[in-house]
Amino acid sequence: MKKYNDQTFTTGWRLPLVGAALLALSACGGGDGEPGNPGDPGGEPAMDIQSLKVEFMDIGLTDGVATVKYRVTNQDDKVVVGIPSATFIAAQLVPEGFTGAGNASTWQHFTAETCASTCPGTYTDLKTGIYTYSFSAPLDGMNGQTLQPGATQRLVIKLGGDKLADGTALPITNAHKDWQSGGEPAYSRDIVAIDTCNSCHNNLAFHGGKYNQVETCVTCHNSSKVSNPANVFAPMVHGKHLTGFPKPISDCETCHKADDKLADNQNWHTVPTMEACGSCHTAINFPVGEGHPAQPNNANCVACHNPDWTANVHSGGDNEAVLASVKADIVSASLSGTTVNVGVKLSNPQTGEVYGSADTLAFISDLRVYANWGGSMDYTTRSARSIRLQSTAPESGADGVYTYAISGLTIPAGTEADTGTLALQGRLCALDGKLTACAEGIETVVMKSSHSFFNATALTATGRRTVVTNDTCGSCHGIQQLNFHGARNDLEGQCQVCHNHNMQADATAANPAHTTADFKQLIHALHRGKFAGFETLNYPGDIGNCAQCHAKGDNGVLTVALPLSSAVQPMALNDGSFTSPTAAVCSSCHESDSAKNHMTQQGGVFAGSKADASAGTESCATCHGQGGFVDVLKVHPIK
């Protein structure tokens, strides 16, 4: 083991200042001396460290040994001195085809060296927020790998998870630098961004939370480091998503998003290989010819699976073309007693063509409009009234706008000034990416559902409050790609038209909140694996991160904040009792006896009368409201 030099692991910033003062005093007693080389700039030391930033200053090879010089600062660009440990990982990337015709570019692992109380190489703290490290030996030959001239090199630095000498905790940080002897790398393998992963997983971190960047993972999860081929990064990630994935597994662009910041973001369809493709197409054995013509290597993959074909079959390109040719709009609405008259227009937004009424269009498989009333009270009835336009002649029509009547709305006396919601859903018949007449065996494509608000005389811009959005749900499920009851995918506003407080919970259940189809209770129970039939659902993120699903309201505050909207109604139980609104929502997750007792002490009502559950006795917002001592926005791990 190499020893630390004199400056290594002197922690805290005050000691270097004392040392500097002593040096200055000693200089006053002697001659002027010769001026030394100017040092690297330091900076004001950090007193508060919420995050660490690493700036690579110099990197290269000295006699074959990789060396690095870097600067560490906090979130305010104040230098961090005295970091007591670090891990350094070295790997190289060999280009596409280097290991065999058709093979993808491949990372090759050299070594990982950790400095803590001891150090394999030479670690130096320059006391200015700048550090240096030299690996223990030349990279060439490490882990049996040959250092390739001209290859892209990667150095990863892992910091944090420990404390400075004064007790300041250091957050875990992964930083990487890709480089090449003599200049910038000529090629890369930047395929997936960690931000894409974290759109579902929040904050992915593995191996005790030490590693939280894709660029770190691939330096070790490659065939030169792991013994099991299933643990190579691409097959490993594909395999882990085969079960429980919240979107169709064939939609590669869920993770492989088009991103100009990633030079190789299209690699998923431009470089097909047995290793990557076989990790999803698990019934295929390429070498022996099971499920696919025998193929011993990757040399001929692209001959059949060209980039355009591969992209098309994995991204629903044909379906997107069909959907882009039909737009269904609700353009008017007005009440006549308990009937809402709805104007619908069908058109081709690409060409401007205006279609006829739905019942005259052979390519319409299904087109429905639902209506419910009472936006300020989360709706008056359990099930919305609906009409099927493909089998209903319109009441009237002009200029492509056709009017339909949806009768039987429940509009209690005194609510005439309230608002209602119209929800539209449908399916189109398609063949080879084009609209076609519906017939047996013809594929149907689900349209994106939508909703509109209306009052007694017209459509309105506002109505029932928005709690979640299609974008927030889409961060995992895809934007309106999660279809229920055949073709309903507007999770923002359509589902709540029926899944409302008029649904009833099972009063005999251990936790009734896990049994009702009221949207707010249902969604919490589903994502916790508590709803019957969904016990194996494995939520990929932090279940306490309410911002994963909840949107911000018009006031800019997350809709999970207390107090709840006055529109939120008590939860109905099937024995005629009710649970007060906040208690019903919070007890879906906080379901212990002590939590329920606390809620009851603060005015919550469990299985009481409707009058008691609606009386507004809950004082939860006193402590848990915005700015409160235990504000829900602060005590939940909201990111």
Side-chain angles (χ1 to χ4, degrees), residues 511-587:
N511 189 341
H514 295 161
T515 66
T516 176
D518 183 1
F519 192 79
K520 53 187 171 292
Q521 319 294 350
L522 173 67
I523 291 302
H524 290 151
L526 279 174
H527 286 85
R528 292 189 65 223
K530 297 287 188 175
F531 197 80
F534 293 85
E535 293 85 356
T536 59
L537 190 148
N538 182 21
Y539 185 67
D542 186 336
I543 196 67
N545 179 18
C546 309
Q548 183 80 11
C549 303
H550 281 265
K552 290 184 177 179
D554 294 336
N555 58 0
V557 178
L558 204 66
T559 54
V560 72
L562 293 182
L564 295 178
S565 166
S566 59
V568 181
Q569 303 297 311
M571 180 178 72
L573 282 72
N574 60 5
D575 64 354
S577 64
F578 294 82
T579 295
S580 53
T582 307
V585 171
C586 296
S587 64

Side-chain angles (χ1 to χ4, degrees), residues 383-610:
S383 296
R385 308 294 295 181
S386 67
I387 188 170
R388 298 188 179 195
L389 306 190
Q390 78 276 11
S391 57
T392 303
E395 301 281 318
S396 61
D399 300 324
V401 176
Y402 296 89
T403 303
Y404 302 85
I406 304 177
S407 60
L409 271 66
T410 299
I411 304 177
T415 69
E416 293 84 358
D418 208 333
T419 60
T421 300
L422 295 163
L424 187 151
Q425 70 180 61
R427 288 176 176 271
L428 305 172
C429 293
L431 182 65
D432 297 330
K434 296 181 180 180
L435 293 170
T436 191
C438 297
E440 186 176 352
I442 294 294
E443 178 186 3
T444 60
V445 180
V446 177
M447 301 171 66
K448 288 186 177 180
S449 303
S450 62
H451 67 280
S452 304
F453 302 123
F454 68 99
N455 59 26
T457 60
L459 293 176
T460 67
T462 58
R464 184 191 186 273
R465 70 197 185 285
T466 299
V467 180
V468 299
T469 68
N470 288 318
D471 285 341
T472 55
C473 298
S475 65
C476 284
H477 295 290
I479 305 299
Q480 293 180 280
Q481 293 188 18
L482 188 63
N483 300 312
F484 291 102
H485 308 299
R488 299 171 196 172
N489 52 46
D490 176 14
L491 306 181
E492 176 178 321
Q494 178 186 27
C495 299
Q496 299 84 341
V497 171
C498 291
H499 290 274
N500 54 53
H501 68 96
N502 295 291
M503 296 284 188
Q504 293 184 334
D506 181 0
T508 66
N511 189 341
H514 295 161
T515 66
T516 176
D518 183 1
F519 192 79
K520 53 187 171 292
Q521 319 294 350
L522 173 67
I523 291 302
H524 290 151
L526 279 174
H527 286 85
R528 292 189 65 223
K530 297 287 188 175
F531 197 80
F534 293 85
E535 293 85 356
T536 59
L537 190 148
N538 182 21
Y539 185 67
D542 186 336
I543 196 67
N545 179 18
C546 309
Q548 183 80 11
C549 303
H550 281 265
K552 290 184 177 179
D554 294 336
N555 58 0
V557 178
L558 204 66
T559 54
V560 72
L562 293 182
L564 295 178
S565 166
S566 59
V568 181
Q569 303 297 311
M571 180 178 72
L573 282 72
N574 60 5
D575 64 354
S577 64
F578 294 82
T579 295
S580 53
T582 307
V585 171
C586 296
S587 64
S588 183
C589 293
H590 303 283
E591 53 181 323
S592 67
D593 288 341
S594 61
K596 289 184 177 181
N597 289 337
H598 172 72
M599 295 178 206
T600 301
Q601 291 167 359
Q602 303 308 316
V605 175
F606 287 92
S609 69
K610 187 173 184 179

Side-chain angles (χ1 to χ4, degrees), residues 257-281:
K257 294 184 181 295
D259 186 344
D260 292 339
K261 295 179 182 178
L262 299 173
D264 311 287
N265 68 91
Q266 300 299 308
N267 183 277
W268 66 273
H269 66 97
T270 59
V271 188
T273 65
M274 294 186 294
E275 295 78 15
C277 300
S279 57
C280 285
H281 298 280

Side-chain angles (χ1 to χ4, degrees), residues 114-128:
T114 297
C115 294
S117 57
T118 60
C119 188
T122 304
Y123 176 92
T124 305
D125 179 354
L126 297 177
K127 308 305 184 297
T128 59

